[in-house]
Amino acid sequence: MLEVAVITVSDRAFKGEYQDLSGPGIVEIINESDVKANVSLTIVPDDRTQIKKAIQQNLDKDYIITTGGTGIGPRDITPEVTEAICDKPLPGIAEMLRFESYKETKFAVFSRAYCGIRRKTIIVNFPGSVKGATLCTKLLVPIMEHGKKMLHGSGH
């Protein structure tokens, strides 16, 4: 059973000005997949301290998936916070997500999403749009169990 934390990073959703659809969309796709997982959902604002705290509080999970804050806007800081927390990068996942997302929208080139490892947790940044977040979830789900096994020392 995978333990997964989904963290939505959005000022507007945190304040209740906007309904978070990306986070629940990620949770729904994981829950409807063949992957057995316990999934939690948290919403934080685009604030370095609160993003860091939310990630750190979930480092007992196999995966932390963030949605939002990965673009080039002035308050988009999720990749920087994630990178600072991680022990080592895992660029292949972020590269694959951008590559496949580009097939759906040319604007995927503006994604600065990061993926890395902290202890025994894989942390992956997704875009904040519902379309982008759900596409990325569908791409990640088939490799999640294998990633956990490898991180815990199992062979290929």
Side-chain angles (χ1 to χ4, degrees), residues 55-77:
I55 291 173
Q56 289 175 327
Q57 288 176 337
N58 286 287
L59 288 173
D60 60 332
K61 306 286 196 278
D62 299 305
Y63 283 86
I64 298 172
I65 299 170
T66 68
T67 176
T70 61
I72 59 174
R75 294 197 42 86
D76 291 333
I77 57 170

Side-chain angles (χ1 to χ4, degrees), residues 4-10 20 22-23 26-27 39-45 50-59 63-69 78 123-127:
V4 181
V6 176
I7 302 169
T8 297
V9 180
S10 168
D20 174 26
S22 297
I26 294 168
V27 172
V39 188
S40 64
L41 176 60
T42 305
I43 302 174
V44 298
Q50 292 197 47
I51 298 167
K52 181 178 178 181
K53 182 179 176 183
I55 291 173
Q56 289 175 327
Q57 288 176 337
N58 286 287
L59 288 173
Y63 283 86
I64 298 172
I65 299 170
T66 68
T67 176
T78 305
I123 306 171
V124 187
N125 298 153
F126 284 177

Side-chain angles (χ1 to χ4, degrees), residues 56-137:
Q56 289 175 327
Q57 288 176 337
N58 286 287
L59 288 173
D60 60 332
K61 306 286 196 278
D62 299 305
Y63 283 86
I64 298 172
I65 299 170
T66 68
T67 176
T70 61
I72 59 174
R75 294 197 42 86
D76 291 333
I77 57 170
T78 305
E80 288 79 13
V81 175
T82 303
E83 184 175 10
I85 290 171
C86 289
D87 299 321
K88 53 187 169 181
L90 190 57
I93 291 176
E95 291 166 2
M96 181 264 299
L97 295 176
R98 267 189 289 278
F99 178 80
E100 293 298 328
S101 294
Y102 181 77
K103 294 176 182 178
E104 298 293 319
T105 175
K106 61 187 171 198
F107 301 127
V109 299
F110 292 109
S111 172
R112 299 177 314 105
Y114 181 85
C115 182
I117 300 166
R118 173 68 184 250
R119 298 185 200 125
K120 298 291 183 186
T121 302
I122 297 172
I123 306 171
V124 187
N125 298 153
F126 284 177
S129 72
V130 176
K131 182 179 178 182
T134 55
L135 172 63
C136 288
T137 306

